[in-house]
Amino acid sequence: MEYILNKTPIRTTNNFKVNDLKLDLDIIKTKFKDFKTKNVNINTRIENNFESKIGLLEDKYLFVDVFNNNEVGYLEYDFDNDYLTSLINVNASNLIIIFKGDNAFLNTKIVINKAKSVSIVNLTSKDSKSFISIENNTNSIVNFIELGGKIKVSNYYSVINEENSINTFNSIYLGKEDEVLDLNYYIGFNNKNTKGSINVEGVLLDNAHKSFKGTIDFYEGSKGSSGDELENVVLLSDKVISRSLPMLLCHEEDVSGTHAVSKGKIDEEKLFYLMSRGLSEKESKIMIILSNFNKILDNIPDINLKNEIINEISKRL
Amino acid sequence: MKTRIELDDNIYNKKVKEESVSKIVGLTKEIVEEISKEKDEPKWVLDIRLKALDYFNKLPMPNWGPDLSMLNLDEISTYVKRGINTSDKWEDVPEEIKNVFDKLGIPEAEKKSLAGVGAQFDSEMVYHKVQDDLKKQGVIYCNFDTAIKEYPDLVKEYFTKAVPIMDHKFIALHYALFSGGSFVYIPKGVHLDNPLQSYFRLNSKGAGQFEHTLIIVEEDSYLEFIEGCSAPGYNTLNLHAGCVELFVKKNALLRFSTIENWSKNMLNLNTKKAYVDENGKIEWIMGSFGSKISMLYPMSILEDNAKCEMTQLSFAGKGQNLDTGLKVVCNGKNTSTVVNSKSISKDGGICTFRSNVLVNKKASNSKLSLSCESLMLDSISRSDTIPSCTILNDDTIFSHEAKIGKISDDTIFYLMSRGLSEEEAKSIIVRGFAEPISKVFPVEYAVEMNRLINMELEGTIG
């Protein structure tokens, strides 16, 4: 069945195919299993009528309420060859959500109602298809590591409603072989003196096909607010398709908004320097890419998980 | 002490009576055939018109950008016939029409600094002239309708080749109804020291203007072409769906400047496209001030080592929605694109910068740098930046930066402490913001641009 997913908040010309993602999907549904947890309490139940900003509707889904206090809490779903549709309702302090598994099908919405920091790590692989929609109703920092499998569709949506609030979304993505990535991230500014930023670092290789849509939207009345948006992507193959649509929408005079997109091949001077120190070309490239990613990875509050992510990125590169 | 510039905005609002004018209203096969017959066109041109009409009926309205639902083509005069033949003498142009162009300063500019002038009034070119020495060098600058008859082989070779008739709904409309416009051919190695200028004036209430401009700049040549547009204001919609096709050959350079000041009842749905061959360069300079809605995204298609530079300023006031930007397709290697766009919005005006960049696989070592700055003068206005970019190779360097801001209170304070009023201070800041753009225009047009900025600002800020 064909789905049209992850629509941009404002459409632009159709001939560059960036407004939405058309996908043919066969969804094979199985029974939901339990999340693995550490330092969190969860309540789960099956509910009806799943919907998210991505637009992949389903009948039944697993509703997960997550609570914890100050410690770093963990919620993990490991599902080789399996299926999950869920809504994760976050009422935690520091939470790490991990998805793992080969050939998995993930359709999830993460609603952040209370948190200081939430890190979402998608380590699914091979033929996995993931559709991760994040709605942030707090001032928390959200880190999203999108390594995923064959199809990875993600959405971040946050409107800053409280005066003097800050909203930060950091993301890393990796696309290889013939993987498809569609990333649609939005921050709306709806009060005075708010700050928001979307920081995205990525790497594409082989025949990967990526669309990044980022939106900074200043509403009327958002005086004194500032918003930044950055996408920096390294292209490692001449067969990749890299699309970007970094939008800046403004309905208020007294704001400061910037966006920047930078795309290109790996810095040859850095590569030459590292290779002159005895590293192979491949090792040098991995090192440069990881150094780009490091400022986001540093926000992950678990050194072991950070190392696991680094190993996984190195393996995939 | 006030240094206010006295402005006469009536020069843009001058209307000519329409008693002796016959108008064709609406769009049918019969109307298209009638226009073609009126122009005594060859069959191949009529065939293009009819094919375009077919596409127009089939193609959907755009599902993005400003809302165009207010447009009812059954109410638009698709052809305004005055029965005036194009002349190369201003004396032959009817007095009332000549007066309009006099007020716009066209004949005067022709004497001072232009190599040739074309002047279109509604659907017809009323004046077209190029300097004799340029004619001797093989330069052709004439009414597009004339070119179809006098240079059919050249026109056939290039017409519809840059902008195909099925590109989008409004270009199909254009090809069904095109009338007037300029044809320019610059032979190999010819360097024009002074610019050519075509001025398009839409006078009739509820009318459409569909001029077609086709420019070919052969190898190692240089041309600066200036396009001016204006119309008096009415309380009904007018439509402009023109088309510009540009061919810049190997090592050639074309500078294409536009100052657009359509009236605030105009839908400006113009299409411009440039093919730039090896080592060629296109420079787009655009000032957009008028119209109710503008959708204008000049496109450049770049071959090996070709360059594109765009400098753009939009100024949207009350009731205006100016959706402008560009498209760039890099086909060849080592291409370079530099874009500098600025917009100012006030009194509820909407400025949108919309760009589409495509870097193809073969376009290795391409470099693109896009910069957008927006200035908002109040909180009821809008300023959006919607840039999309698709890269299909691994050694392109692409950067895009956008900034939105307001007039800094510190700067106003500084200027006021030097004796200026708040209004004057703001006006100076806005002119300073626009200055990097206006300074790339020829002097006379920079003056016109500043005059338009002043007109837009007058009495609205402070």
Side-chain angles (χ1 to χ4, degrees):
Chain A
M1 182 175 167
E2 189 182 75
Y3 295 86
I4 298 173
L5 304 172
N6 227 12
K7 292 178 182 168
T8 50
I10 289 187
R11 291 185 74 82
T12 190
T13 41
N14 298 315
N15 43 355
F16 291 86
K17 296 177 187 165
V18 75
N19 286 311
D20 38 47
L21 174 70
K22 284 188 185 134
L23 272 184
D24 262 323
L25 287 174
D26 291 321
I27 304 173
I28 299 158
K29 297 173 185 179
T30 56
K31 253 185 149 181
F32 302 130
K33 57 185 186 182
D34 289 334
F35 276 85
K36 288 181 199 167
T37 61
K38 186 179 160 191
N39 299 334
V40 292
N41 296 315
I42 62 168
N43 296 323
T44 59
R45 58 183 184 270
I46 304 292
E47 290 207 348
N48 297 321
N49 301 327
F50 177 85
E51 54 181 50
S52 77
K53 295 274 177 198
I54 289 175
L56 188 59
L57 311 178
E58 292 201 52
D59 303 333
K60 294 214 178 314
Y61 66 95
L62 186 67
F63 184 94
V64 186
D65 251 332
V66 189
F67 306 92
N68 89 331
N69 293 318
N70 287 325
E71 289 178 285
V72 177
Y74 294 83
L75 192 66
E76 184 177 323
Y77 205 83
D78 200 338
F79 54 140
D80 277 358
N81 304 305
D82 214 338
Y83 154 90
L84 171 69
T85 298
S86 64
L87 192 158
I88 299 169
N89 202 32
V90 178
N91 293 286
S93 176
N94 287 300
L95 184 67
I96 294 173
I97 304 170
I98 306 165
F99 299 103
K100 282 183 179 173
D102 294 342
N103 313 320
F105 186 98
L106 170 66
N107 185 13
T108 194
K109 177 171 162 181
I110 298 163
V111 181
I112 304 167
N113 291 315
K114 187 189 145 203
K116 282 182 192 156
S117 153
V118 177
S119 298
I120 300 147
V121 184
N122 181 14
L123 296 175
T124 57
S125 57
K126 296 187 176 167
D127 278 344
S128 293
K129 300 176 180 74
S130 53
F131 304 86
I132 300 174
S133 172
I134 305 159
E135 286 185 32
N136 186 4
N137 303 320
T138 68
N139 298 337
S140 56
I141 296 172
V142 177
N143 304 301
F144 177 46
I145 313 300
E146 175 64 295
L147 301 186
K150 194 170 186 176
I151 292 171
K152 25 207 164 196
V153 182
S154 56
N155 191 298
Y156 178 80
Y157 182 85
S158 183
V159 177
I160 313 176
N161 286 313
E162 280 179 42
E163 201 173 331
N164 300 313
S165 298
I166 297 173
N167 189 307
T168 306
F169 178 70
N170 301 313
S171 179
I172 286 171
Y173 66 79
L174 184 152
K176 60 172 198 158
E177 294 164 358
D178 54 356
E179 291 174 356
V180 173
L181 296 94
D182 197 274
L183 324 168
N184 190 0
Y185 304 148
Y186 175 95
I187 297 182
F189 298 75
N190 193 27
N191 212 327
K192 290 178 195 163
N193 304 319
T194 56
K195 278 187 183 175
S197 61
I198 297 171
N199 306 305
V200 179
E201 293 279 346
V203 59
L204 295 173
L205 50 158
D206 306 326
N207 297 306
H209 180 163
K210 177 252 359 174
S211 280
F212 165 75
K213 298 166 270 193
T215 309
I216 293 279
D217 191 355
F218 294 103
Y219 300 178
E220 197 173 344
S222 58
K223 281 186 189 304
S225 295
S226 66
D228 307 307
E229 182 180 8
L230 172 73
E231 189 205 11
N232 183 22
V233 52
V234 175
L235 309 172
L236 290 181
S237 151
D238 62 358
K239 291 176 186 154
V240 297
I241 296 179
S242 173
R243 294 194 170 98
S244 299
L245 178 62
M247 294 194 276
L248 194 53
L249 313 177
C250 187
H251 209 316
E252 173 59 59
E253 57 156 343
D254 185 10
V255 295
S256 150
T258 61
H259 70 197
V261 172
S262 152
K263 298 180 178 206
K265 61 181 176 182
I266 215 148
D267 187 326
E268 286 187 357
E269 279 183 26
K270 285 183 191 166
L271 197 61
F272 178 77
Y273 175 82
L274 289 171
M275 287 172 73
S276 72
R277 293 289 179 278
L279 286 156
S280 71
E281 185 181 346
K282 196 171 177 182
E283 286 167 333
S284 306
K285 282 183 174 175
I286 290 172
M287 189 171 275
I288 293 167
I289 289 160
L290 287 172
S291 73
N292 289 348
F293 289 177
N294 210 36
K295 56 183 178 288
I296 294 178
L297 290 172
D298 275 349
N299 293 313
I300 306 267
D302 177 339
I303 187 73
N304 294 328
L305 177 63
K306 183 183 162 185
N307 288 334
E308 189 183 340
I309 294 166
I310 288 172
N311 287 337
E312 190 62 31
I313 291 170
S314 306
K315 199 171 90 186
R316 294 189 187 202
L317 284 171
Chain B
M1 184 186 71
K2 282 210 163 194
T3 54
R4 192 185 184 95
I5 298 167
E6 291 302 325
L7 301 164
D8 175 18
D9 63 348
N10 289 329
I11 59 168
Y12 297 107
N13 216 16
K14 190 87 184 160
K15 291 169 189 165
V16 170
K17 287 176 197 158
E18 299 186 4
E19 285 134 5
S20 59
V21 174
S22 82
K23 293 181 181 177
I24 296 174
V25 180
L27 179 63
T28 61
K29 187 176 177 237
E30 290 70 33
I31 285 173
V32 169
E33 285 170 342
E34 190 184 339
I35 292 170
S36 186
K37 195 177 167 191
E38 181 69 38
K39 291 174 174 293
D40 192 21
E41 287 174 347
K43 187 173 176 299
W44 68 269
V45 179
L46 175 63
D47 289 345
I48 285 175
R49 289 185 185 275
L50 293 174
K51 201 172 163 188
L53 177 65
D54 201 31
Y55 275 113
F56 174 76
N57 290 327
K58 284 179 191 161
L59 287 166
M61 289 288 278
N63 60 358
W64 52 273
D67 178 18
L68 301 174
S69 57
M70 76 280 278
L71 175 63
N72 181 0
L73 270 176
D74 294 335
E75 293 172 358
I76 296 281
S77 305
T78 43
Y79 187 68
V80 180
K81 187 184 156 192
R82 290 176 184 273
I84 304 167
N85 290 326
T86 312
S87 171
D88 59 359
K89 295 185 187 74
W90 280 110
E91 300 82 64
D92 295 342
V93 178
E95 191 65 22
E96 219 178 359
I97 294 174
K98 183 178 169 290
N99 284 344
V100 172
F101 287 109
D102 272 340
K103 290 230 178 237
L104 292 164
I106 308 298
E108 200 186 332
E110 183 183 15
K111 280 180 219 154
K112 278 186 189 168
S113 58
L114 297 171
V117 163
Q120 175 152 343
F121 202 78
D122 289 329
S123 301
E124 294 157 339
M125 270 285 175
V126 294
Y127 177 85
H128 231 295
K129 192 180 179 186
V130 64
Q131 286 171 356
D132 290 341
D133 61 320
L134 293 176
K135 271 189 196 167
K136 282 176 197 155
Q137 291 179 66
V139 171
I140 303 169
Y141 178 46
C142 67
N143 181 355
F144 188 72
D145 296 342
T146 308
I148 288 173
K149 288 170 190 150
E150 294 187 8
Y151 311 99
D153 294 341
L154 257 180
V155 173
K156 262 187 198 171
E157 191 180 342
Y158 292 98
F159 183 49
T160 73
K161 301 299 186 296
V163 183
I165 57 177
M166 73 293 275
D167 224 20
H168 57 82
K169 192 172 183 73
F170 290 99
I171 201 63
L173 175 71
H174 166 85
Y175 279 119
L177 296 170
F178 72 91
S179 180
S182 291
F183 176 79
V184 184
Y185 178 79
I186 309 294
K188 189 176 174 180
V190 174
H191 192 288
L192 265 68
D193 294 328
N194 292 319
L196 300 177
Q197 181 183 20
S198 288
Y199 201 97
F200 301 98
R201 176 77 178 175
L202 184 52
N203 177 77
S204 292
K205 187 177 179 181
Q209 194 169 62
F210 307 95
E211 86 287 352
H212 194 91
T213 297
L214 175 56
I215 300 177
I216 303 138
V217 186
E218 288 286 5
E219 286 183 25
D220 303 307
S221 298
Y222 170 79
L223 168 68
E224 176 166 4
F225 187 87
I226 300 169
E227 185 190 55
C229 326
S230 70
Y234 291 106
N235 53 6
T236 54
L237 278 181
N238 279 48
L239 172 65
H240 176 234
C243 177
V244 174
E245 294 188 285
L246 309 175
F247 295 88
V248 183
K249 299 296 180 72
K250 205 171 163 183
N251 300 320
L253 197 162
L254 171 59
R255 173 181 263 224
F256 192 95
S257 307
T258 307
I259 295 190
E260 176 267 298
N261 186 34
W262 294 116
S263 51
K264 308 285 163 64
N265 57 316
M266 179 72 83
L267 297 188
N268 180 31
L269 312 173
N270 212 2
T271 305
K272 298 179 180 182
K273 203 187 272 188
Y275 264 100
V276 189
D277 275 353
E278 207 178 320
N279 286 315
K281 185 175 181 186
I282 176 82
E283 292 179 8
W284 299 99
I285 299 165
M286 286 168 50
S288 299
F289 294 87
S291 77
K292 180 179 177 62
I293 291 174
S294 267
M295 290 177 80
L296 178 58
Y297 323 100
M299 183 169 184
S300 307
I301 298 172
L302 307 177
E303 299 300 333
D304 287 358
N305 305 309
K307 292 184 175 64
C308 167
E309 274 183 25
M310 175 175 268
T311 312
Q312 187 183 56
L313 177 71
S314 302
F315 198 138
K318 190 178 178 183
Q320 287 185 275
N321 187 344
L322 305 186
D323 201 302
T324 58
L326 77 151
K327 293 177 184 175
V328 176
V329 175
C330 302
N331 278 339
K333 57 190 181 211
N334 307 323
T335 67
S336 153
T337 303
V338 179
V339 177
N340 183 9
S341 169
K342 296 203 175 203
S343 70
I344 302 161
S345 38
K346 67 167 182 68
D347 294 344
I350 303 170
C351 272
T352 303
F353 173 83
R354 194 184 297 269
S355 67
N356 285 289
V357 168
L358 172 65
V359 182
N360 276 316
K361 237 177 223 4
K362 286 180 185 166
S364 58
N365 196 31
S366 287
K367 295 181 178 67
L368 302 101
S369 167
L370 283 72
S371 162
C372 309
E373 279 184 75
S374 308
L375 188 61
M376 288 180 60
L377 301 184
D378 54 53
S379 289
I380 54 170
S381 302
R382 264 201 88 95
S383 179
D384 295 342
T385 310
I386 307 176
S388 95
C389 156
T390 304
I391 293 183
L392 306 179
N393 66 38
D394 66 343
D395 64 352
T396 288
I397 298 174
F398 173 87
S399 72
H400 180 251
E401 289 180 55
K403 275 193 277 187
I404 289 178
K406 65 159 198 164
I407 294 179
S408 145
D409 290 341
D410 288 349
T411 317
I412 292 172
F413 178 77
Y414 174 80
L415 289 170
M416 287 175 72
S417 73
R418 294 290 180 276
L420 296 176
S421 70
E422 189 179 345
E423 188 181 351
E424 286 166 331
K426 284 187 173 177
S427 175
I428 281 174
I429 294 164
V430 172
R431 281 202 295 270
F433 177 80
E435 199 257 347
I437 308 281
S438 56
K439 79 178 181 192
V440 295
F441 276 94
V443 175
E444 291 80 0
Y445 303 94
V447 170
E448 183 176 353
M449 198 162 199
N450 281 333
R451 183 166 62 187
L452 288 167
I453 291 169
N454 283 324
M455 269 171 59
E456 295 292 340
L457 287 172
E458 196 182 33
T460 59
I461 59 174

